[in-house]
Amino acid sequence: MHDLRLGFAYLARGQRWVARHRKQFGFGLVPGLITLVLYLAALTSLALWGTDFTAWATPFADDWSTPWQGLFRGFLTAVLLALALLLAVLTFTAVTLLLGQPFYESLSEKVDRDVSPDGTAPESGLPLWRELLVSARDSLRVLARALVWAVLLFALGFVPFVGQTVVPVVGFFVTGYFLTEELTAVALQRRGVELRERLSLLRSRRTMIWGFGTPLGLAFLVPFVAVLLMPGAVAGATLMARDLLGEEIREDRADGAGHGKTLDGRPADTGSVSR
């Protein structure tokens, strides 16, 4: 329970950080707004022409009698829309981070400098094109893992009682986990931490990851809320990445975290994070 509260504390602290740095907040809204417009256009198109698509994809049902043809194609259209919405939630963060790589790299660096005892931030030393390539590659690998979970949970959703109670809860925790991986990747990639090591770090503090990502995933179900929370989510994920690596977090005027400690007051293991 302690780590669960701590994860939520990092999420809240990230939102407070961007609230105090309004220029960074406005700067960080741009990628989310672009992604939101693209996703809304795609989902609207699917809603308008989804029936036509399912009719084109099921020519064998052209000669079916009423009402079976309408029921069958209506069911397929509903499933298509449900899968599209699930895919949108799972990929919104990854696409936003990819489109906004320069924006969020800058925001994450400023958070690092603000809370670092020596006022510095780690730098990857890679050119922008290389950072985008690494980010896109890792996002696809994470998305593949997330889709496996999505298909499994979708199938379990048809199990009576379990599908209507346990599966949705597990789905939110899974979504929160992968959202957090994408968000912490901004700070961890800058430190040269590879995907395999990032996943290992997250598994070592799984409860904290759920405390951060699960409420964020619930909020991300509302598209415009997702846009508003993205800058603070990146800031909070940067703070949590420092905790995962045992880096010091300087005393913050608003939060009062102790000098040379992580947010929960544990002494930082600074010797384990030199990269």
Side-chain angles (χ1 to χ4, degrees):
M1 289 299 293
H2 171 73
D3 261 8
L4 200 66
R5 292 194 300 269
L6 183 60
F8 185 77
Y10 279 121
L11 177 61
R13 189 180 181 190
Q15 301 302 325
R16 288 197 294 269
W17 191 92
V18 295
R20 297 197 311 275
H21 300 78
R22 295 183 182 179
K23 182 177 180 181
Q24 297 304 315
F25 175 69
F27 192 63
L29 287 178
V30 176
L33 287 170
I34 294 172
T35 307
L36 178 64
V37 170
L38 293 175
Y39 271 55
L40 285 178
L43 290 172
T44 301
S45 299
L46 186 61
L48 291 174
W49 293 291
T51 303
D52 294 336
F53 175 79
T54 54
W56 170 82
T58 56
F60 56 85
D62 286 344
D63 298 327
W64 288 14
S65 60
T66 306
W68 304 114
Q69 182 193 81
L71 289 173
F72 176 69
R73 286 177 171 169
F75 172 75
L76 289 183
T77 302
V79 170
L80 183 64
L81 287 170
L83 287 174
L85 286 170
L86 177 62
L87 188 63
V89 172
L90 288 173
T91 61
F92 182 87
T93 301
V95 172
T96 302
L97 290 173
L98 185 61
L99 292 176
Q101 183 79 9
F103 295 84
Y104 295 130
E105 282 284 351
S106 175
L107 190 154
S108 181
E109 285 184 19
K110 285 181 170 60
V111 174
D112 268 324
R113 290 194 181 95
D114 189 44
V115 302
S116 175
D118 58 5
T120 62
E123 296 181 3
S124 67
L126 297 175
L128 178 59
W129 70 268
R130 177 65 177 170
E131 289 182 349
L132 290 173
L133 186 63
V134 171
S135 179
R137 179 201 66 192
D138 288 352
S139 291
L140 287 174
R141 291 165 67 186
V142 171
L143 178 60
R145 288 175 168 86
L147 287 176
V148 171
W149 275 97
V151 171
L152 175 62
L153 292 172
F154 182 76
L156 290 175
F158 292 98
V159 178
F161 182 72
V162 173
Q164 293 74 49
T165 55
V166 178
V167 170
V169 174
V170 174
F172 282 122
F173 278 96
V174 170
T175 300
Y177 180 87
F178 286 112
L179 278 177
T180 307
E181 196 290 323
E182 290 287 352
L183 290 163
T184 53
V186 177
L188 293 175
Q189 281 178 353
R190 243 186 321 112
R191 291 161 165 83
V193 183
E194 296 293 334
L195 177 61
R196 186 184 298 273
E197 188 178 353
R198 295 204 304 270
L199 292 173
S200 179
L201 280 171
L202 266 60
R203 284 194 295 269
S204 70
R205 303 288 297 280
R206 191 178 282 111
T207 310
M208 183 175 72
I209 302 310
W210 288 336
F212 182 93
T214 303
L216 189 63
L218 288 167
F220 274 22
L221 291 174
V222 184
F224 192 67
V225 172
V227 174
L228 292 175
L229 293 182
M230 271 299 290
V234 172
T238 301
L239 295 170
M240 191 163 62
R242 296 183 68 90
D243 186 342
L244 289 168
L245 293 173
E247 295 180 0
E248 296 182 11
I249 298 178
R250 189 179 65 182
E251 182 177 353
D252 184 278
R253 288 189 299 272
D255 299 304
H259 175 81
K261 297 179 181 180
T262 53
L263 185 58
D264 61 347
R266 292 180 294 105
D269 181 13
T270 54
S272 65
V273 295
S274 56
R275 294 187 180 275

